[in-house]
Amino acid sequence: MRIITYTCPSCGTVIAANELESNRVMKCPGLDCQAIIRFDNLPKEAQEYFLEHMDRYRL
């Protein structure tokens, strides 16, 4: 299993790929950050890997 994350370019908050996938579009959870983060912001290779192995990322 790989750890797949995305770092908000506005504030540096790290967001897990499974959160991005479940929401697809979300406001950055960083304090006072208004950036909109999308699953599509992840590199294509990371998106494909996550979707192919989604069962490994379930809690």
Side-chain angles (χ1 to χ4, degrees), residues 2 4-5 7 14-15 21 24-26 30-31 35-37 40 45-49 53 55-57:
R2 293 178 10 194
I4 302 173
T5 60
T7 303
V14 177
I15 304 151
E21 193 278 329
R24 291 293 171 153
V25 177
M26 62 187 281
L31 293 176
I36 302 299
I37 310 294
D40 291 341
E45 182 266 331
Q47 290 177 41
E48 290 170 2
Y49 181 87
H53 301 94
D55 58 318
R56 295 181 183 179
Y57 292 92

mmCIF file of all heavy atoms in Angstrom, residues 2 4-5 7 14-15 21 24-26 30-31 35-37 40 45-49 53 55-57:
data_model
loop_
_atom_site.group_PDB
_atom_site.id
_atom_site.type_symbol
_atom_site.label_atom_id
_atom_site.label_comp_id
_atom_site.label_asym_id
_atom_site.label_seq_id
_atom_site.Cartn_x
_atom_site.Cartn_y
_atom_site.Cartn_z
ATOM 1 N N ARG A 2 0.527 2.187 -0.827
ATOM 2 C CA ARG A 2 1.238 3.465 -0.889
ATOM 3 C C ARG A 2 0.438 4.510 -0.139
ATOM 4 O O ARG A 2 -0.782 4.473 -0.109
ATOM 5 C CB ARG A 2 1.381 3.923 -2.340
ATOM 6 C CG ARG A 2 2.276 3.059 -3.141
ATOM 7 C CD ARG A 2 2.415 3.448 -4.587
ATOM 8 N NE ARG A 2 1.871 4.713 -4.993
ATOM 9 C CZ ARG A 2 1.673 5.079 -6.254
ATOM 10 N NH1 ARG A 2 1.970 4.241 -7.213
ATOM 11 N NH2 ARG A 2 1.183 6.245 -6.557
ATOM 12 N N ILE A 4 -0.871 8.018 -0.371
ATOM 13 C CA ILE A 4 -1.100 9.004 -1.424
ATOM 14 C C ILE A 4 -1.738 10.230 -0.793
ATOM 15 O O ILE A 4 -2.802 10.140 -0.178
ATOM 16 C CB ILE A 4 -2.005 8.439 -2.531
ATOM 17 C CG1 ILE A 4 -1.376 7.181 -3.126
ATOM 18 C CG2 ILE A 4 -2.243 9.492 -3.616
ATOM 19 C CD1 ILE A 4 -2.263 6.450 -4.106
ATOM 20 N N THR A 5 -1.061 11.353 -0.926
ATOM 21 C CA THR A 5 -1.556 12.598 -0.350
ATOM 22 C C THR A 5 -1.427 13.727 -1.364
ATOM 23 O O THR A 5 -0.736 13.607 -2.375
ATOM 24 C CB THR A 5 -0.766 12.989 0.917
ATOM 25 O OG1 THR A 5 0.607 13.168 0.573
ATOM 26 C CG2 THR A 5 -0.893 11.943 2.005
ATOM 27 N N THR A 7 -0.837 18.063 -1.221
ATOM 28 C CA THR A 7 -0.528 19.211 -0.386
ATOM 29 C C THR A 7 -1.170 20.447 -0.986
ATOM 30 O O THR A 7 -0.948 20.766 -2.163
ATOM 31 C CB THR A 7 0.997 19.413 -0.272
ATOM 32 O OG1 THR A 7 1.575 18.215 0.244
ATOM 33 C CG2 THR A 7 1.327 20.570 0.656
ATOM 34 N N VAL A 14 -1.866 18.907 4.293
ATOM 35 C CA VAL A 14 -1.777 17.625 3.603
ATOM 36 C C VAL A 14 -3.133 16.930 3.701
ATOM 37 O O VAL A 14 -3.707 16.814 4.778
ATOM 38 C CB VAL A 14 -0.671 16.746 4.218
ATOM 39 C CG1 VAL A 14 -0.624 15.378 3.553
ATOM 40 C CG2 VAL A 14 0.671 17.445 4.098
ATOM 41 N N ILE A 15 -3.633 16.461 2.553
ATOM 42 C CA ILE A 15 -4.947 15.831 2.470
ATOM 43 C C ILE A 15 -4.759 14.427 1.892
ATOM 44 O O ILE A 15 -4.090 14.250 0.872
ATOM 45 C CB ILE A 15 -5.890 16.661 1.570
ATOM 46 C CG1 ILE A 15 -5.959 18.087 2.094
ATOM 47 C CG2 ILE A 15 -7.280 16.040 1.520
ATOM 48 C CD1 ILE A 15 -6.234 19.112 1.037
ATOM 49 N N GLU A 21 -11.050 11.439 -2.770
ATOM 50 C CA GLU A 21 -11.885 10.584 -3.600
ATOM 51 C C GLU A 21 -13.326 10.560 -3.094
ATOM 52 O O GLU A 21 -14.264 10.620 -3.871
ATOM 53 C CB GLU A 21 -11.320 9.158 -3.631
ATOM 54 C CG GLU A 21 -11.939 8.282 -4.697
ATOM 55 C CD GLU A 21 -13.270 7.682 -4.292
ATOM 56 O OE1 GLU A 21 -13.480 7.419 -3.094
ATOM 57 O OE2 GLU A 21 -14.115 7.495 -5.176
ATOM 58 N N ARG A 24 -14.513 14.256 -3.815
ATOM 59 C CA ARG A 24 -14.219 14.701 -5.184
ATOM 60 C C ARG A 24 -13.887 16.189 -5.280
ATOM 61 O O ARG A 24 -12.955 16.560 -5.949
ATOM 62 C CB ARG A 24 -15.341 14.342 -6.167
ATOM 63 C CG ARG A 24 -15.463 12.872 -6.430
ATOM 64 C CD ARG A 24 -14.258 12.353 -7.158
ATOM 65 N NE ARG A 24 -14.280 10.897 -7.213
ATOM 66 C CZ ARG A 24 -13.701 10.204 -8.156
ATOM 67 N NH1 ARG A 24 -13.052 10.798 -9.121
ATOM 68 N NH2 ARG A 24 -13.756 8.897 -8.112
ATOM 69 N N VAL A 25 -14.665 17.032 -4.618
ATOM 70 C CA VAL A 25 -14.388 18.472 -4.566
ATOM 71 C C VAL A 25 -14.633 18.908 -3.130
ATOM 72 O O VAL A 25 -15.687 18.621 -2.568
ATOM 73 C CB VAL A 25 -15.306 19.279 -5.515
ATOM 74 C CG1 VAL A 25 -15.056 20.766 -5.377
ATOM 75 C CG2 VAL A 25 -15.123 18.841 -6.950
ATOM 76 N N MET A 26 -13.647 19.578 -2.532
ATOM 77 C CA MET A 26 -13.816 20.001 -1.147
ATOM 78 C C MET A 26 -13.038 21.278 -0.878
ATOM 79 O O MET A 26 -12.086 21.595 -1.581
ATOM 80 C CB MET A 26 -13.346 18.902 -0.183
ATOM 81 C CG MET A 26 -11.869 18.551 -0.308
ATOM 82 S SD MET A 26 -11.356 17.122 0.683
ATOM 83 C CE MET A 26 -11.229 17.855 2.286
ATOM 84 N N GLY A 30 -7.561 23.295 5.853
ATOM 85 C CA GLY A 30 -6.619 24.146 6.570
ATOM 86 C C GLY A 30 -7.303 25.365 7.181
ATOM 87 O O GLY A 30 -8.269 25.895 6.626
ATOM 88 N N LEU A 31 -6.798 25.803 8.327
ATOM 89 C CA LEU A 31 -7.367 26.965 9.002
ATOM 90 C C LEU A 31 -7.267 28.199 8.112
ATOM 91 O O LEU A 31 -6.205 28.509 7.573
ATOM 92 C CB LEU A 31 -6.642 27.219 10.322
ATOM 93 C CG LEU A 31 -6.828 26.153 11.397
ATOM 94 C CD1 LEU A 31 -5.972 26.484 12.612
ATOM 95 C CD2 LEU A 31 -8.288 26.025 11.778
ATOM 96 N N ALA A 35 -9.033 27.576 -0.342
ATOM 97 C CA ALA A 35 -8.725 26.857 -1.584
ATOM 98 C C ALA A 35 -9.699 25.705 -1.799
ATOM 99 O O ALA A 35 -10.153 25.062 -0.862
ATOM 100 C CB ALA A 35 -7.292 26.328 -1.550
ATOM 101 N N ILE A 36 -10.022 25.456 -3.052
ATOM 102 C CA ILE A 36 -10.872 24.334 -3.440
ATOM 103 C C ILE A 36 -9.948 23.240 -3.970
ATOM 104 O O ILE A 36 -9.141 23.463 -4.867
ATOM 105 C CB ILE A 36 -11.897 24.747 -4.517
ATOM 106 C CG1 ILE A 36 -12.779 25.890 -4.014
ATOM 107 C CG2 ILE A 36 -12.724 23.549 -4.964
ATOM 108 C CD1 ILE A 36 -13.603 25.549 -2.785
ATOM 109 N N ILE A 37 -10.067 22.050 -3.381
ATOM 110 C CA ILE A 37 -9.225 20.915 -3.738
ATOM 111 C C ILE A 37 -10.091 19.865 -4.420
ATOM 112 O O ILE A 37 -11.196 19.576 -3.984
ATOM 113 C CB ILE A 37 -8.565 20.308 -2.475
ATOM 114 C CG1 ILE A 37 -7.895 21.394 -1.612
ATOM 115 C CG2 ILE A 37 -7.596 19.202 -2.838
ATOM 116 C CD1 ILE A 37 -6.721 22.077 -2.252
ATOM 117 N N ASP A 40 -9.102 15.415 -8.913
ATOM 118 C CA ASP A 40 -8.365 15.581 -10.172
ATOM 119 C C ASP A 40 -7.041 16.318 -10.001
ATOM 120 O O ASP A 40 -6.211 16.312 -10.910
ATOM 121 C CB ASP A 40 -9.219 16.323 -11.201
ATOM 122 C CG ASP A 40 -10.396 15.497 -11.675
ATOM 123 O OD1 ASP A 40 -10.370 14.266 -11.517
ATOM 124 O OD2 ASP A 40 -11.361 16.092 -12.207
ATOM 125 N N GLU A 45 -1.387 9.208 -12.418
ATOM 126 C CA GLU A 45 -0.868 7.918 -11.973
ATOM 127 C C GLU A 45 -1.342 7.616 -10.554
ATOM 128 O O GLU A 45 -1.731 6.489 -10.248
ATOM 129 C CB GLU A 45 0.668 7.923 -12.068
ATOM 130 C CG GLU A 45 1.321 6.615 -11.684
ATOM 131 C CD GLU A 45 1.743 6.582 -10.226
ATOM 132 O OE1 GLU A 45 2.041 7.635 -9.651
ATOM 133 O OE2 GLU A 45 1.738 5.484 -9.655
ATOM 134 N N ALA A 46 -1.344 8.610 -9.685
ATOM 135 C CA ALA A 46 -1.807 8.424 -8.303
ATOM 136 C C ALA A 46 -3.310 8.161 -8.266
ATOM 137 O O ALA A 46 -3.776 7.308 -7.502
ATOM 138 C CB ALA A 46 -1.465 9.644 -7.458
ATOM 139 N N GLN A 47 -4.072 8.865 -9.096
ATOM 140 C CA GLN A 47 -5.519 8.632 -9.170
ATOM 141 C C GLN A 47 -5.811 7.198 -9.598
ATOM 142 O O GLN A 47 -6.630 6.507 -8.981
ATOM 143 C CB GLN A 47 -6.175 9.574 -10.185
ATOM 144 C CG GLN A 47 -6.228 11.014 -9.780
ATOM 145 C CD GLN A 47 -6.824 11.864 -10.886
ATOM 146 O OE1 GLN A 47 -7.794 11.474 -11.530
ATOM 147 N NE2 GLN A 47 -6.245 13.028 -11.121
ATOM 148 N N GLU A 48 -5.141 6.753 -10.651
ATOM 149 C CA GLU A 48 -5.358 5.402 -11.175
ATOM 150 C C GLU A 48 -4.982 4.345 -10.143
ATOM 151 O O GLU A 48 -5.719 3.387 -9.936
ATOM 152 C CB GLU A 48 -4.569 5.203 -12.465
ATOM 153 C CG GLU A 48 -5.113 6.008 -13.621
ATOM 154 C CD GLU A 48 -4.204 6.000 -14.837
ATOM 155 O OE1 GLU A 48 -3.149 5.319 -14.804
ATOM 156 O OE2 GLU A 48 -4.543 6.688 -15.818
ATOM 157 N N TYR A 49 -3.838 4.523 -9.492
ATOM 158 C CA TYR A 49 -3.406 3.564 -8.484
ATOM 159 C C TYR A 49 -4.419 3.497 -7.351
ATOM 160 O O TYR A 49 -4.811 2.415 -6.912
ATOM 161 C CB TYR A 49 -2.026 3.936 -7.924
ATOM 162 C CG TYR A 49 -1.535 2.947 -6.904
ATOM 163 C CD1 TYR A 49 -0.835 1.817 -7.296
ATOM 164 C CD2 TYR A 49 -1.797 3.115 -5.552
ATOM 165 C CE1 TYR A 49 -0.402 0.883 -6.366
ATOM 166 C CE2 TYR A 49 -1.386 2.191 -4.612
ATOM 167 C CZ TYR A 49 -0.676 1.084 -5.026
ATOM 168 O OH TYR A 49 -0.262 0.157 -4.101
ATOM 169 N N HIS A 53 -6.828 0.198 -6.301
ATOM 170 C CA HIS A 53 -6.575 -0.442 -5.011
ATOM 171 C C HIS A 53 -7.405 0.186 -3.891
ATOM 172 O O HIS A 53 -7.007 0.162 -2.728
ATOM 173 C CB HIS A 53 -5.088 -0.344 -4.664
ATOM 174 C CG HIS A 53 -4.208 -0.975 -5.683
ATOM 175 N ND1 HIS A 53 -3.633 -0.258 -6.712
ATOM 176 C CD2 HIS A 53 -3.829 -2.267 -5.861
ATOM 177 C CE1 HIS A 53 -2.934 -1.069 -7.460
ATOM 178 N NE2 HIS A 53 -3.029 -2.308 -6.981
ATOM 179 N N ASP A 55 -9.904 -0.710 -2.178
ATOM 180 C CA ASP A 55 -10.256 -1.561 -1.034
ATOM 181 C C ASP A 55 -9.172 -1.536 0.047
ATOM 182 O O ASP A 55 -9.460 -1.709 1.231
ATOM 183 C CB ASP A 55 -10.501 -2.998 -1.483
ATOM 184 C CG ASP A 55 -9.318 -3.607 -2.196
ATOM 185 O OD1 ASP A 55 -8.682 -2.914 -3.025
ATOM 186 O OD2 ASP A 55 -9.031 -4.788 -1.937
ATOM 187 N N ARG A 56 -7.939 -1.264 -0.300
ATOM 188 C CA ARG A 56 -6.848 -1.179 0.684
ATOM 189 C C ARG A 56 -6.905 0.091 1.512
ATOM 190 O O ARG A 56 -6.267 0.181 2.550
ATOM 191 C CB ARG A 56 -5.502 -1.222 -0.030
ATOM 192 C CG ARG A 56 -5.230 -2.520 -0.731
ATOM 193 C CD ARG A 56 -3.869 -2.465 -1.371
ATOM 194 N NE ARG A 56 -3.616 -3.676 -2.115
ATOM 195 C CZ ARG A 56 -2.502 -3.889 -2.785
ATOM 196 N NH1 ARG A 56 -1.554 -2.954 -2.811
ATOM 197 N NH2 ARG A 56 -2.323 -5.013 -3.434
ATOM 198 N N TYR A 57 -7.637 1.090 1.038
ATOM 199 C CA TYR A 57 -7.657 2.386 1.692
ATOM 200 C C TYR A 57 -8.902 2.611 2.539
ATOM 201 O O TYR A 57 -9.133 3.691 3.047
ATOM 202 C CB TYR A 57 -7.527 3.503 0.653
ATOM 203 C CG TYR A 57 -6.157 3.520 0.016
ATOM 204 C CD1 TYR A 57 -5.915 2.803 -1.156
ATOM 205 C CD2 TYR A 57 -5.113 4.207 0.585
ATOM 206 C CE1 TYR A 57 -4.664 2.793 -1.735
ATOM 207 C CE2 TYR A 57 -3.854 4.208 0.019
ATOM 208 C CZ TYR A 57 -3.641 3.499 -1.150
ATOM 209 O OH TYR A 57 -2.399 3.498 -1.713
#
